[in-house]
Amino acid sequence: MRSLSEKLTAFRLLKRTGEKVGMLTAADYPTGRLLDEAGVDFVLVGDSLGMVVLGYPDTVEVTMADMVHHLRAVRRGVERALVGADLPWHSYETPEQALENARVLVEAGADAVKLEGGRVMLPQIEAIIGAGIPLVGHIGMLPQSVREEGGYKKKGRTEVEAAGLVEDAKALDRAGALAIVLEGIVPAVAAEITASVGCATVGIGSGVDCDGQVLVTADLVGGFPWFRPPFAKARADVAGSVSGAVREYLAVVKGEL
Ligand code: KIV
């Protein structure tokens, strides 16, 4: 097993050498282990697990207890990649609360923590990084704010919004963020952000000109057939395979096959 500092150094080197960052989400041991064995750079225990594992309509209901439970399982499966975990909604409202909960996630096995928000979150971000905990930022479309925003809306469409996103990214980079997730940002703006910061940008629905890409693994493997965002290409049909196996098993059990 590589040390945390070896993993962080290898991760930071990716942007410098121009190798793209491959990040995917996991919420259980087998998925974490499969991603790690396939060579993923960063396994994210994202709060999207609230939707694709726990069946909530969005990420807002996810608790620290949920995150710790899933993070522990993923941690047991990952030896090589960095493991990051989301601070869920309402778990980082003050710098003190953010640091306390970041420490809980580190204790449960996280190498890094992620939270949503730009300059408005700087006090929380500085508290976490100041305590020596690697932090991944997340700007653009923020799923934890979906209810206030009334839906998932593309970000960076106006000049003012685009300039604000660039300033957010620069502030996070100056604060020492390990990486920044760019979600649902107009591709040209994501490209400008990527060129403006020293840390890696990891895009989701933000075009190809980021330093890497992240997807919810259920979307990548066709594991959640009831909804898949339009930018996510399913490269397998896990739901179809499961349904087929279950139907075949039932037919055998019931003597129809
Ligand atoms: O929760 C999550 O899975 C995420 C990724 C989509 C970046 O935040």
Side-chain angles (χ1 to χ4, degrees), residues 4 42-47 49 62-75 83-89 91-92 97-116 128 133-136 144:
L4 176 57
F42 193 113
V43 177
L44 175 67
V45 184
D47 61 358
L49 66 82
V62 176
T63 64
M64 275 297 294
D66 293 329
M67 294 308 298
V68 165
H69 177 74
H70 289 280
L71 169 58
R72 285 209 175 107
V74 171
R75 175 78 274 174
V83 173
D86 270 335
L87 281 161
W89 188 224
S91 73
Y92 52 97
Q97 190 198 22
L99 180 54
E100 188 184 321
N101 283 320
R103 285 190 166 129
V104 171
L105 294 179
V106 169
E107 188 64 28
D111 297 319
V113 302
K114 176 165 84 58
L115 62 75
E116 296 184 7
I128 292 170
I133 299 173
L135 177 123
V136 175
Q144 292 176 0

Side-chain angles (χ1 to χ4, degrees), residues 25 44 46-48 59 86 114 116 138 181 183 204 214 216:
T25 65
L44 175 67
D47 61 358
S48 56
T59 61
D86 270 335
K114 176 165 84 58
E116 296 184 7
H138 186 153
V181 169
E183 179 157 6
I204 175 161
V214 56
V216 174

Side-chain angles (χ1 to χ4, degrees), residues 1-239:
M1 172 109 67
R2 295 189 297 177
S3 71
L4 176 57
S5 98
E6 283 168 341
K7 287 191 272 186
L8 291 170
T9 303
F11 185 85
R12 290 194 176 102
L13 206 59
L14 294 173
K15 177 153 182 161
R16 270 189 267 144
T17 59
E19 184 178 336
K20 297 278 185 180
V21 174
M23 184 187 286
L24 282 168
T25 65
D28 55 36
Y29 170 86
T31 307
R33 185 165 173 181
L34 287 168
L35 298 185
D36 196 39
E37 289 176 357
V40 161
D41 300 301
F42 193 113
V43 177
L44 175 67
V45 184
D47 61 358
S48 56
L49 66 82
M51 299 155 89
V52 299
V53 176
L54 301 178
Y56 293 126
D58 52 41
T59 61
V60 175
E61 313 279 340
V62 176
T63 64
M64 275 297 294
D66 293 329
M67 294 308 298
V68 165
H69 177 74
H70 289 280
L71 169 58
R72 285 209 175 107
V74 171
R75 175 78 274 174
R76 286 191 278 274
V78 179
E79 290 192 351
R80 194 197 44 81
L82 279 167
V83 173
D86 270 335
L87 281 161
W89 188 224
H90 289 316
S91 73
Y92 52 97
E93 299 204 313
T94 64
E96 295 74 24
Q97 190 198 22
L99 180 54
E100 188 184 321
N101 283 320
R103 285 190 166 129
V104 171
L105 294 179
V106 169
E107 188 64 28
D111 297 319
V113 302
K114 176 165 84 58
L115 62 75
E116 296 184 7
R119 284 162 290 172
V120 64
M121 284 296 157
L122 261 185
Q124 282 86 328
I125 288 167
E126 284 167 351
I128 292 170
I129 295 174
I133 299 173
L135 177 123
V136 175
H138 186 153
I139 62 172
M141 204 279 290
L142 305 179
Q144 292 176 0
S145 306
V146 63
R147 294 191 190 174
E148 287 102 281
E149 297 225 341
Y152 298 101
K153 302 201 173 120
K154 198 93 183 161
K155 293 294 156 112
R157 286 191 198 276
T158 66
E159 262 182 44
V160 172
E161 203 172 69
L165 287 167
V166 174
E167 286 316 310
D168 282 339
K170 284 182 176 170
L172 265 56
D173 190 38
R174 275 196 300 272
L178 175 65
I180 308 172
V181 169
L182 306 182
E183 179 157 6
I185 294 179
V186 171
V189 179
E192 187 186 341
I193 292 170
T194 301
S196 313
V197 294
C199 67
T201 61
V202 186
I204 175 161
S206 299
V208 295
D209 292 323
C210 302
D211 296 311
Q213 297 290 328
V214 56
L215 273 185
V216 174
T217 298
D219 296 336
L220 172 72
V221 302
F224 194 79
W226 308 280
F227 173 77
R228 176 161 45 85
F231 56 79
K233 179 176 172 188
R235 294 175 192 273
D237 180 18
V238 165

